[in-house]
Amino acid sequence: MLDIQVLRNDIQSVEKKLESRGFSLDVACFQALEAQRKSVQTRTQELQAQRNAASKAIGVKKGRGEDASVILAEVASIGDELKANEARLEEIQEEMQEFLLAIPNIPHESVPFGLSEADNVEVMKWGQPKHFDFEARDHVSLGEGLAGLDFETAVKLAGSRFTLMQGPVARLHRALGQFMLDLHTGEHGYVEVYVPYMVNAESLRGTGQLPKFEEDLFSVAGGYYLIPTAEVPVTNIVRGEILSLDALPMKFVAHTPCFRSEAGSYGRDMRGMIRQHQFDKVELVQIVHPEKSYEALESLLGHAEEILRRLDLPYRVVSLCTKDMGFSAAKTYDIEVWLPAQKAYREISSCSNFEAFQARRMQARFKTEGRNELVHTLNGSALAVGRTLVAILENYQLADGSVKIPEALYPYMGGLEVIPAS
RNA sequence: GGAGAGGUGGCAGAGUGGUCGAAUGUACCUGACUCGAAAUCAGGCGUAGGUGUAAGCCUACCGUGGGUUCGAAUCCCACCCUCUCCGCCA
């Protein structure tokens, strides 16, 4: 959510900045609402003050045993107008809230301008895409050859966009989650958290998934939603809190499944486990002082990259352009890993600084001299576990269809160094 | 699932229709005293919003949402949550 004061004072410049992400801000609507709000609110508060004064006077008179019928008659005449004004004010404020909740974040000045994915800017590249002296197979073919990935049975169990993993491949998947958690807690200073996999609507509003993107979520009985990312429960830890200055920065890591309806992506990535309704992810979240958030974004990105380096997987980092960024982000880096079968870099992590956008929705603040200030929030995948598994299968494949285990994972694989083709 | 108790400021804890945004204690901040500290004394100390150049003034908030009333922390209704006991369960 944007600061309403900024909209009041300088809506033109906000409009211009949002244009760069392809969002057209309805300035006239805002100004009309704001004008109404101002007059109705002023009048309402005036009437409330009158009523309060009269009620107080009645109390005083009655306390003395005097007659209060004159004032009572007076205050009765306020009643209807007050009620009407209060009701109207509430309507206007709700409308205003809805309006504000639907506005995306303003891109940071360092974000490249662009109107499509093609305008994303490559920031750096690490490692050499491997070439094989045989035709590289994709993870679906490899996984089935290892008796490790079974999409047909997953369809029977649940439907499309689910995976059944078995044997060493299932173990490799588990190993990856463990490896990532251990690295971030052991070397990068994150506190491991275990969180609910279902959350309420308020949490989703806090991080920006609601009210605009309900169709991307799975909702379940009882008013809960399955989390689309650990970002939601983890970031909402600080919702409604006023933190002490020395509590910052807070750094959390969580390994959770994520559930996404993938509405609107029919036909995209239907093959394999690139795009699933359920996938595991290790998520980093930082709650930081506003002056430190861009520093924090770079370090968080580095923490995610470190996983790929230790696994020796070639990748590149791109800075998303204005149009391609998510709703809540002020700046986003994607990390893309090399997939030999697709001969392309594919997204495996997304690291974003939300500045105060989520904090304002959540009312997450910290105490400074004299007043309370909104924190900045950041998060990033480090990494998407399923896609990392895909990357390992494809990058570590051997000519006979067996797959080597990255050395960093040996301790987690009980000595297994190669998953043999069956 | 059954029975009971309860949700008030950072914490503890009063307040059951009226000058209550809320006593008191404690924590915290400032000042005095002190060589310094402790103790003591004085003052300050919630959040959000409106309005104003400002000082300030005003409004809302006592789990949440409704209702009754001139007036609600206090009365009524619904919901949420916490605790205790019983049952069940990983």
Side-chain angles (χ1 to χ4, degrees):
Chain A
M1 195 157 69
L2 302 181
D3 185 353
I4 192 166
Q5 297 297 351
V6 174
L7 290 177
R8 283 174 185 152
N9 298 333
D10 193 9
I11 196 163
Q12 261 72 31
S13 83
V14 173
E15 181 191 20
K16 206 173 149 203
K17 285 174 186 162
L18 290 178
E19 229 165 63
S20 74
R21 4 160 116 234
F23 181 88
S24 91
L25 183 65
D26 193 339
V27 175
C29 172
F30 175 81
Q31 284 170 341
L33 256 180
E34 174 62 7
Q36 281 183 65
R37 192 226 95 227
K38 193 162 178 164
S39 79
V40 175
Q41 181 164 2
T42 316
R43 181 64 185 152
T44 304
Q45 294 188 347
E46 203 177 290
L47 290 169
Q48 283 170 331
Q50 274 178 38
R51 182 206 56 200
N52 290 348
S55 294
K56 208 170 248 189
I58 292 168
V60 171
K61 286 223 174 220
K62 290 210 165 169
R64 291 193 196 126
E66 294 171 21
D67 174 47
S69 57
V70 178
I71 313 178
L72 254 143
E74 235 175 72
V75 80
S77 66
I78 300 177
D80 285 348
E81 193 189 350
L82 178 57
K83 228 170 210 162
N85 271 280
E86 280 176 338
R88 182 75 191 115
L89 180 61
E90 196 177 325
E91 268 173 41
I92 293 168
Q93 280 175 332
E94 257 166 46
E95 234 176 292
M96 182 61 95
Q97 188 70 2
E98 246 171 78
F99 182 86
L100 293 174
L101 286 174
I103 304 174
N105 203 356
I106 294 172
H108 186 253
E109 57 189 15
S110 66
V111 171
F113 172 81
L115 294 174
S116 88
E117 205 177 317
D119 298 313
N120 294 341
V121 172
E122 183 179 294
V123 173
M124 66 90 74
K125 220 180 232 181
W126 185 90
Q128 285 298 316
K130 223 182 242 174
H131 42 183
F132 298 90
D133 40 16
F134 52 91
E135 183 69 21
R137 296 161 69 179
D138 78 357
H139 72 280
V140 177
S141 148
L142 287 162
E144 282 168 356
L146 300 171
L149 296 181
D150 181 347
F151 295 100
E152 259 175 59
T153 305
V155 166
K156 178 175 79 178
L157 300 180
S160 66
R161 294 207 188 282
F162 288 93
T163 305
L164 173 65
M165 285 180 262
Q166 290 190 57
V169 172
R171 180 166 189 169
L172 178 58
H173 183 260
R174 171 162 59 92
L176 281 168
Q178 299 293 307
F179 166 67
M180 293 176 195
L181 273 178
D182 285 349
L183 182 63
H184 298 312
T185 57
E187 297 184 35
H188 295 152
Y190 289 81
V191 174
E192 179 172 354
V193 288
Y194 172 86
V195 295
Y197 299 161
M198 293 189 271
V199 293
N200 55 35
E202 228 174 303
S203 293
L204 288 155
R205 205 173 308 122
T207 32
Q209 284 79 12
L210 288 180
K212 260 195 142 174
F213 306 101
E214 178 152 26
E215 70 279 3
D216 296 337
L217 302 167
F218 284 113
S219 64
V220 296
Y224 298 114
Y225 294 85
L226 298 179
I227 55 171
T229 157
E231 161 192 356
V232 179
V234 178
T235 310
N236 274 280
I237 289 173
V238 297
R239 187 176 81 224
E241 299 293 324
I242 299 174
L243 307 162
S244 68
L245 182 60
D246 58 14
L248 302 179
M250 296 171 94
K251 296 166 73 181
F252 296 114
V253 58
H255 174 202
T256 73
C258 305
F259 302 92
R260 299 188 181 175
S261 76
E262 293 300 336
S265 64
Y266 302 114
R268 281 190 76 190
D269 300 311
M270 285 311 292
R271 184 174 160 81
M273 55 187 298
I274 294 286
R275 190 175 301 275
Q276 301 273 284
H277 286 313
Q278 172 188 323
F279 62 95
D280 273 29
K281 187 154 60 72
V282 171
E283 185 77 2
L284 305 178
V285 171
Q286 293 199 28
I287 314 294
V288 306
H289 191 285
E291 283 165 18
K292 303 271 177 64
S293 66
Y294 279 92
E295 227 172 274
L297 178 61
E298 298 300 322
S299 84
L300 189 148
L301 173 67
H303 297 150
E305 287 179 54
E306 186 61 24
I307 300 285
L308 289 165
R309 293 180 185 221
R310 303 254 179 137
L311 294 174
D312 199 24
L313 291 168
Y315 69 89
R316 63 174 195 159
V317 175
V318 300
S319 180
L320 295 192
C321 74
T322 47
K323 178 68 193 281
D324 207 31
M325 280 198 305
F327 179 76
S328 304
K331 178 165 186 166
T332 299
Y333 291 115
D334 272 8
I335 303 178
E336 300 179 339
V337 69
W338 178 256
L339 293 186
Q342 296 192 8
K343 295 187 172 55
Y345 286 99
R346 289 300 306 262
E347 177 183 348
I348 196 168
S349 169
S350 194
C351 301
S352 302
N353 183 359
F354 303 91
E355 299 187 0
F357 188 85
Q358 295 179 326
R360 187 170 293 108
R361 288 169 164 248
M362 294 190 300
Q363 282 302 300
R365 293 156 295 172
F366 68 98
K367 267 212 178 316
T368 55
E369 284 295 311
R371 71 199 157 126
N372 300 322
E373 216 180 313
L374 295 166
V375 297
H376 279 193
T377 61
L378 304 97
N379 69 56
S381 14
L383 302 164
V385 177
R387 289 188 181 180
T388 308
L389 182 83
V390 168
I392 289 175
L393 293 181
E394 295 195 7
N395 281 282
Y396 280 80
Q397 64 180 300
L398 300 172
D400 64 355
S402 59
V403 172
K404 285 195 296 178
I405 304 290
E407 264 182 57
L409 298 179
Y410 284 178
Y412 298 91
M413 292 299 289
L416 189 68
E417 294 184 11
V418 175
I419 303 177
S422 56

